[in-house]
Amino acid sequence: MTADFDPHAIAASNLSISDKIRRLAAGGLSRRQIADHIGRSYQQVRQVLVEDERRAGRRRPSAPSAPLREPEALAGVAEPGRRFEGAQASADVEDRGGGAYRLAVREDGSVVLPPAVRAALGIDAPGAALARLEGAEFKLIGPATALKRIQDMLRPYAQEGVSWVDELIADRRREAAREDDDA
């Protein structure tokens, strides 16, 4: 580490998350330390660094007649048996066609979702999804679908002309006033 290396300044900067990860790694921080500094998961830090290593080792074709096929360009294309590249290493995801995928479960229990699945669920990377275990099936639910289900569940309790947000704010103000009176 150099004397002018400031991990806190890098973490607070307007750089992209990936650039922050790269700079902190170049400064000598471990993946865990980087994850802690930027408030992201170890897995995300690892994916950025592993992908950078993979790209550094990849040879580009010398002739323009042999263009590279980038995985982003293939995200919606169903090619049964196709394995994904990069952060979605070939051992992690295999498109079996018809919306079926073979997903490897890693040692830490994580799985990689193919780009087409993330797009269908409306999940940006990094993002979040809800899941439900139903017997021996584990179902992922995209954020928009989850929100709609919650709204449907709460609809019977809604009162015409009453804003739950305004009610919550008023309730918090009453609590704060009580705390001020007690102090």
Side-chain angles (χ1 to χ4, degrees), residues 16 40 51 63 83 122 126-127 132 161 167 170:
S16 70
R40 297 294 175 146
E51 178 65 10
R83 294 183 182 267
R132 168 178 248 116
E167 291 292 317

Side-chain angles (χ1 to χ4, degrees), residues 36-37 54 63 74 84 91 115 145 165 168-169 173 179:
D36 292 342
H37 271 288
R54 187 192 68 78
L74 300 173
F84 292 91
T145 302
V165 172
L168 178 64
I169 291 170
R173 287 183 178 149
E179 288 176 9

Side-chain angles (χ1 to χ4, degrees), residues 3 12 63 71-72 82 99 109 114 117 125 152 176:
E72 295 79 23
R82 179 173 66 89
V117 172
D152 291 345

Side-chain angles (χ1 to χ4, degrees), residues 12-82:
S13 71
N14 289 332
L15 294 170
S16 70
I17 296 299
S18 296
D19 286 340
K20 289 178 186 181
I21 292 169
R22 291 180 188 105
R23 289 205 183 168
L24 292 171
L29 269 62
S30 71
R31 291 175 181 172
R32 172 56 45 211
Q33 291 170 322
I34 295 169
D36 292 342
H37 271 288
I38 63 172
R40 297 294 175 146
S41 70
Y42 175 91
Q43 184 61 33
Q44 183 179 3
V45 172
R46 181 186 174 283
Q47 283 181 330
V48 168
L49 297 176
V50 168
E51 178 65 10
D52 284 353
E53 290 170 7
R54 187 192 68 78
R55 285 184 181 166
R58 178 172 64 186
R59 295 180 50 149
R60 293 197 169 259
S62 56
S65 60
L68 283 176
R69 292 181 61 182
E70 294 297 331
E72 295 79 23
L74 300 173
V77 179
E79 293 180 28
R82 179 173 66 89

